[in-house]
Amino acid sequence: MTQIDVVGLTKRYGTTLALDGVSLQAREGELVSLLGPSGCGKTTTLRCMAGFMDPDAGDILVDGTSVTRLPPQKRNFGVVFQNYALFPHLSVFDNVAYGLAVRRLPKAEQRARVADALAMVRLQGLEDRLPRALSGGQQQRVALARALVIRPRLLLLDEPLANLDARLREEVRWLIRDVQQQSRITAFYVTHDQAEAMALSDRIAVMKAGRVAQFATPREIYQRPAEAYVARFTGDANIIPARPRDRTADGGFHVPFGGVMLPVPGVDGIRPGDPAMLMLRPEALSLIDPGAEGVIPALVLGTAFLGAALACEVSLADGTRLRLQASPHAPVQPGMTVGLRVDTAHAWLMPDVLS
Amino acid sequence: MSCHEGRVAARAAVRRLLPRLLLGLPAVALLTLFFVLPYVEMVAMSFRAPAFGQPFGSGHTLMHYGRALGDPIYTGALLRSLLTGALITALCLVISFPLALHLSRLQGRWHVVFYACIVSPLLIGVLVRNFGWMVLVAVDGPFNRWLLAAGLIERPFRVLFTQGLVVMALVHVFTPFMVLPIATALRNVRPELRDASASLGAGGWETFRRVTLPLSFPGVQAGVTLVFVLSVAAYVTPALLGGQGIAYMPAVVVRELIGSFAWPFGAALAVIMAASTLAVVTVFTLATHRLAERTRG
Amino acid sequence: MMRALSAAVLGVIYAFLLLPLVAVVAASLTAGELMRVPPQGLSLKWFARFLASETFREALLLSLQVAVTTVVVTVVLATLAALCHRALSRRLAATYRVAMTLPLLLPELLTAIGLLFFLNGLGLGKTLTGLQIAHVVIAFPFAFLAIVAALEQVDPAMEEASASLGAGGFGTFRRVLLPLIRPGMLTGGLFAFIVSFDMFTISLLLKPVGGNTLPLALFDFLTYDFDPTAAAAATLSVIAAVIGVLAIERMVGLKRAF
């Protein structure tokens, strides 16, 4: 259906640069998440795409045609707002039918399409209710149906789950994914929740201070982050300053760590001898008998029982602190000396960028 | 929680809040004694027998109502007051909506400046504001001189002591009462709703008609009710700017009370005026009930 | 095009709102003998004449006396009532608030008529006390609303914090609430002053024998004369309002006060 290209979007508020050359694209039927902390520019990007805000520079293309100069009502993009933005004076039916009424479609067609849209979001029998008589989850479904019923070229979702409680969030998240897959609508999804982004997206753009720090698949973002900022934002990670000695035969790096030399994969542009950052996800670390060959000795500082795992904090001889998850049955106690093994396939070396 | 426990908890809450509630007593006493009771007294007075040489006699009668409702002088004045009130309310609404819209879209410094322009007349007495119109429209006043200079009229025309001036001055007096509730209602319309409407394909006018206008209704209702009630009972402005020619209900009432010293009859006229105002407001409220229900907070 | 048109419409409406007030002030500053706008030369002589007139001077003094008393009584009552309002549940508070503002919502004329009969029954008809009571009743809602607005800005957790630190009800009021709502109380007092100073219909029906407030004196004057002394008297009201608006904006911000 639709391919979207965002090229060099720039937006300035007074002296602060809210967007600093944001470029993204979504292929037909793809769901792209914009992930980042508040103030990173993800919502501003979405609002520029929707046409609620004019970018100072840059372009937004739909199938190669610029829509940047079009007002929102001419873009035919469906928008789902964080607080739903349902019209409080209109019934569920009239809310969903709004875009069709504005387009002056015949009443019979409006009724049929509204019924289809409500069936799609699995919300039927509440057509005459006012929004305030609905639960949060139901309101969210109405908002989704209202955005879909106009058969938009693009679906824009601005933190649609932020106001739902945890249990509902899970449910509506899958609903959104189902609906988007079913209708094959290209979609952009703004969120600050990495788990949500991972679960939903085909690709994720991690944003940082008005720029795209990395734009890639969830797997790549998690396992091969471009910089420490991305690694921290996409899950638990131990990030340790390191200096690679030289390249390995398979294109990785030899990195001295805790008294041993680890062969780890990493970002290509790093030169041996330069300061870099070593990422060790908790699952890359495991505890073994300290006496074994080639292990790194570590001192257990503290533990916390999490049910499925035992979270441990350990410190190495040089004072480096690491967090990892051990088996809940592991006989580990604060003050014990343990052996640490690094699964180098799950380690990753990144350039040292100020974050 | 059992019923008994509930009662204990409620009693504890009352004990904790009681000192606070007692603080409200003086004001409640003030308003009961010197506001509610006077209104009761006004109704009671309207049934008292008339007397010569003093405001009212002993004994009770319905004759004042019969006299007031049977005489076209009084019913005519009442009708004129109600119609003029409706006209003033409508004009206020027409003037106030653009102002409220303008006000609700301003931010920061400018918002305060224009807000002050609308609010400050509220702090200036009706008399002074009416007097301003007297100055402006006097036969040798600036309006006539500008119109003469512009060649639009040949002789200065007399505006003072006309019904048009009374209406205009009252619209001037009551506009802030209309603007403020509407501006508040418009401010309460969340901006995302306009964004949502635009994203669904509605242009500026369409969004205004389908979203902004209906959602401003709570403010319109408050403003319309307030302005109508106040304008029907306005005394000063017609007295000062309307001259002797046109009789409005408030002037008739005051004349009976102060001029003729006929308190029971004056009270009956006042009750009739209040009751008919209330009736109009009730009809308006019922007629717009559905819309109000849908658009409230 | 649309823009220019709507700006023009707004301009006309704002001019409509403000011109009469400007005219009053301008007329009072004339150096000539006639009411003229724009004024012929500038002088303050009409203010001097206003003060030289015994009728106006006495009326001004009576108005000031009544207004000051109104402020003191109203602010005390309104503060107490606002504290009570804060303790009520949402629903009750809404009802209470409407009840407390009724004198503002019902026409002054009707209230004046009721009070005329009622005060007469109490033997307070045509007395200064009666007039004073009526002014308090009408001015009360203005002060009440201002103080309620100020109290709504205070986080209830502040009172709880104060109580948990050992302060009793009065201690909390004196040390926490009072300093926080003082601007609101001043605003309320200003409102009460201005409302009382400008009150007409109530004063017309309830004025004490032989006493005239300034608006009544002005009305009488306007019925027979039309010289700039009246403009000088009216300008006092305008000045009071402008000072009031500036002070309120300084202290609490206009938007919160209304």
Side-chain angles (χ1 to χ4, degrees):
Chain A
M1 287 198 200
T2 321
Q3 149 131 4
I4 306 294
D5 289 277
V6 175
V7 188
L9 226 47
T10 302
K11 178 77 188 173
R12 194 183 290 278
Y13 296 119
T15 55
T16 56
L17 205 53
L19 297 182
D20 184 8
V22 171
S23 295
L24 296 164
Q25 94 283 121
R27 291 183 284 266
E28 183 179 320
E30 200 176 30
L31 193 152
V32 171
S33 285
L34 304 180
L35 175 65
S38 56
C40 71
K42 55 191 194 303
T43 294
T44 306
T45 307
L46 197 83
R47 291 180 63 77
C48 285
M49 294 175 75
F52 303 147
M53 217 179 242
D54 293 321
D56 298 330
D59 210 355
I60 297 151
L61 307 162
V62 178
D63 289 333
T65 313
S66 172
V67 298
T68 316
R69 298 270 156 263
L70 285 183
Q73 62 266 29
K74 300 264 171 67
R75 293 193 186 191
N76 197 22
F77 291 174
V79 183
V80 176
F81 293 80
Q82 178 168 357
N83 51 20
Y84 322 132
L86 297 180
F87 304 119
H89 60 302
L90 298 181
S91 66
V92 167
F93 179 90
D94 288 330
N95 259 286
V96 179
Y98 188 92
L100 307 176
V102 166
R103 286 169 175 73
R104 315 229 179 274
L105 294 190
K107 288 268 186 256
E109 189 181 348
Q110 289 188 26
R111 270 193 296 276
R113 277 173 66 171
V114 169
D116 285 350
L118 287 173
M120 202 167 197
V121 299
R122 292 172 229 143
L123 188 81
Q124 279 143 311
L126 300 175
E127 284 81 351
D128 295 328
R129 294 258 190 104
L130 287 182
R132 80 170 90 95
L134 300 180
S135 70
Q138 289 168 333
Q139 292 187 29
Q140 185 55 270
R141 283 160 203 261
V142 176
L144 192 57
R146 185 179 69 174
L148 289 170
V149 79
I150 60 171
R151 299 190 185 142
R153 298 190 283 176
L154 172 67
L155 187 61
L156 300 171
L157 303 113
D158 184 10
E159 306 235 16
L161 307 182
N163 291 340
L164 298 178
D165 62 44
R167 202 177 48 77
L168 261 175
R169 201 174 295 175
E170 186 90 350
E171 192 184 318
V172 178
R173 180 208 283 175
W174 291 121
L175 176 78
I176 290 175
R177 184 64 178 163
D178 281 358
V179 166
Q180 189 262 339
Q181 293 280 303
Q182 230 178 80
S183 51
R184 301 299 306 153
I185 290 182
T186 313
F188 279 87
Y189 186 103
V190 162
T191 180
H192 64 268
D193 180 332
Q194 52 95 8
E196 210 170 285
M198 293 277 182
L200 276 173
S201 322
D202 295 305
R203 282 191 290 169
I204 298 175
V206 180
M207 295 195 62
K208 170 188 170 187
R211 295 169 153 274
V212 177
Q214 190 173 8
F215 184 34
T217 63
R219 184 177 292 275
E220 186 143 351
I221 294 255
Y222 186 79
Q223 292 177 343
R224 308 158 78 81
E227 54 178 290
Y229 171 85
V230 175
R232 282 203 195 93
F233 208 80
T234 48
D236 279 344
N238 296 295
I239 291 166
I240 304 123
R243 213 177 270 269
R245 180 74 50 81
D246 51 28
R247 304 295 291 245
T248 60
D250 57 355
F253 300 89
H254 281 123
V255 180
F257 176 73
V260 300
M261 190 64 71
L262 298 176
V264 296
V267 175
D268 226 17
I270 300 172
R271 283 185 317 224
D274 281 357
M277 289 288 183
L278 179 64
M279 176 189 82
L280 301 168
R281 295 278 187 203
E283 58 269 27
L285 300 172
S286 46
L287 297 184
I288 53 169
D289 184 13
E293 180 82 7
V295 303
I296 305 164
L299 177 70
V300 177
L301 295 175
T303 63
F305 181 66
L306 299 181
L310 187 71
C312 302
E313 184 169 22
V314 300
S315 98
L316 305 186
D318 62 358
T320 306
R321 289 182 175 210
L322 298 171
R323 282 190 301 177
L324 60 101
Q325 291 192 354
S327 149
H329 310 295
V332 181
Q333 283 188 348
M336 257 172 77
T337 302
V338 293
L340 193 68
R341 193 170 64 192
V342 178
D343 177 0
T344 53
H346 288 112
W348 181 252
L349 192 70
M350 303 166 292
D352 183 13
V353 188
L354 287 177
S355 58
Chain B
M1 200 191 287
S2 80
C3 188
H4 176 71
E5 279 170 335
R7 233 177 296 136
V8 171
R11 229 176 285 147
V14 166
R15 204 175 312 127
R16 195 157 40 80
L17 289 174
L18 198 59
R20 273 288 183 93
L21 298 181
L22 287 177
L23 294 179
L25 269 188
V28 171
L30 172 81
L31 293 189
T32 311
L33 194 56
F34 294 111
F35 187 74
V36 178
L37 286 184
Y39 272 87
V40 173
E41 181 64 32
M42 178 170 79
V43 176
M45 179 65 75
S46 70
F47 295 107
R48 293 236 161 83
F52 278 108
Q54 57 200 53
F56 57 92
S58 52
H60 293 86
T61 173
L62 278 171
M63 65 176 281
H64 307 301
Y65 286 95
R67 185 181 153 207
L69 294 172
D71 189 334
I73 290 187
Y74 301 116
T75 49
L78 176 65
L79 200 62
R80 191 176 302 120
S81 280
L82 291 175
L83 288 176
T84 311
L87 175 67
I88 288 163
T89 310
L91 290 175
C92 272
L93 186 58
V94 169
I95 289 192
S96 299
F97 216 97
L99 284 181
L101 212 54
H102 176 239
L103 206 58
S104 71
R105 296 204 171 150
L106 291 174
Q107 292 296 330
R109 199 86 226 120
W110 285 113
H111 185 252
V112 175
V113 169
F114 283 101
Y115 202 84
C117 285
I118 289 170
V119 164
S120 28
L122 270 184
L123 293 180
I124 297 169
V126 175
L127 187 64
V128 170
R129 284 186 273 167
N130 290 339
F131 171 58
W133 285 108
M134 290 174 86
V135 174
L136 282 176
V137 303
V139 172
D140 58 348
F143 270 169
N144 273 317
R145 270 182 289 133
W146 287 332
L147 290 176
L148 282 171
L152 291 171
I153 53 173
E154 285 173 3
R155 284 180 306 133
F157 68 108
R158 205 191 55 127
V159 187
L160 200 56
F161 306 136
T162 63
Q163 205 164 352
L165 180 64
V166 172
V167 169
M168 184 159 74
L170 282 174
V171 169
H172 180 250
V173 166
F174 293 130
T175 293
F177 288 102
M178 188 73 93
V179 175
L180 293 182
I182 297 179
T184 306
L186 287 173
R187 281 213 159 231
N188 288 340
V189 177
R190 302 200 321 258
E192 316 86 87
L193 294 181
R194 284 195 287 273
D195 286 347
S197 171
S199 78
L200 292 166
W205 163 246
E206 196 92 348
T207 297
F208 178 75
R209 186 173 72 85
R210 289 174 186 267
V211 180
T212 312
L213 192 59
L215 288 179
S216 72
F217 186 72
V220 171
Q221 190 180 39
V224 162
T225 308
L226 195 57
V227 169
F228 182 73
V229 169
L230 294 179
S231 63
V232 170
Y235 169 74
V236 197
T237 306
L240 190 67
L241 303 179
Q244 303 298 314
I246 330 143
Y248 289 99
M249 199 61 174
V252 173
V253 175
V254 171
R255 198 176 60 216
E256 292 298 332
L257 292 175
I258 296 185
S260 316
F261 225 43
W263 284 10
F265 185 56
L269 289 175
V271 170
I272 289 171
M273 178 173 78
S276 38
T277 309
L278 190 65
V280 173
V281 169
T282 309
V283 168
F284 172 70
T285 309
L286 288 178
T288 55
H289 169 76
R290 250 178 75 84
L291 188 56
E293 198 47 34
R294 297 200 140 212
T295 52
R296 84 184 144 84
Chain C
M1 180 62 202
M2 267 312 272
R3 272 232 142 121
L5 188 69
S6 72
V9 169
L10 282 173
V12 169
I13 301 178
Y14 277 109
F16 168 77
L17 281 182
L18 297 177
L19 269 183
L21 306 177
V22 175
V24 168
V25 177
S28 73
L29 293 173
T30 188
E33 288 301 308
L34 292 170
M35 191 90 85
R36 265 289 152 79
V37 175
Q40 297 169 314
L42 290 176
S43 87
L44 291 174
K45 71 175 180 184
W46 293 104
F47 288 90
R49 283 207 206 166
F50 164 77
L51 287 175
S53 145
E54 195 166 332
T55 324
F56 274 132
R57 216 173 44 228
E58 277 175 9
L60 177 62
L61 284 178
L62 181 64
S63 273
L64 287 174
Q65 182 199 335
V66 172
V68 169
T69 315
T70 303
V71 168
V72 175
V73 179
T74 309
V75 168
V76 172
L77 285 178
T79 307
L80 295 177
L83 288 171
C84 168
H85 174 264
R86 191 174 170 77
L88 297 173
S89 68
R90 265 180 83 94
R91 264 188 108 104
L92 266 177
T95 315
Y96 183 76
R97 188 190 178 109
V98 172
M100 290 292 110
T101 45
L102 273 180
L104 169 69
L105 301 176
L106 292 182
E108 198 180 318
L109 175 64
L110 292 179
T111 310
I113 294 172
L115 277 167
L116 171 69
F117 303 152
F118 185 73
L119 292 172
N120 187 66
L122 291 181
L124 290 172
K126 303 266 171 211
T127 63
L128 186 57
T129 317
L131 182 69
Q132 185 64 66
I133 290 172
H135 274 239
V136 169
V137 168
I138 298 289
F140 172 80
F142 291 89
F144 174 74
L145 288 177
I147 298 171
V148 163
L151 267 175
E152 273 168 0
Q153 304 297 318
V154 181
D155 187 343
M158 302 236 180
E159 284 159 85
E160 290 164 7
S162 167
S164 75
L165 293 168
F170 184 70
T172 298
F173 174 72
R174 193 169 59 84
R175 291 166 190 275
V176 180
L177 289 180
L178 190 61
L180 287 171
I181 64 168
R182 195 173 290 138
M185 291 168 68
L186 287 173
T187 307
L190 253 168
F191 278 165
F193 181 91
I194 289 168
V195 166
S196 163
F197 193 72
D198 284 332
M199 206 175 300
F200 182 81
T201 312
I202 285 269
S203 305
L204 176 72
L205 266 67
L206 303 177
K207 66 175 175 183
V209 182
N212 244 0
T213 64
L214 188 56
L216 293 179
L218 179 58
F219 187 87
D220 287 348
F221 184 84
L222 284 174
T223 335
Y224 304 108
D225 290 291
F226 195 63
D227 78 35
T229 318
T235 299
L236 289 186
S237 276
V238 178
I239 292 172
V242 170
I243 292 175
V245 166
L246 289 178
I248 291 164
E249 169 59 18
R250 264 288 155 80
M251 289 189 297
V252 279
L254 270 182
K255 274 171 268 170
R256 244 183 249 162
F258 280 87

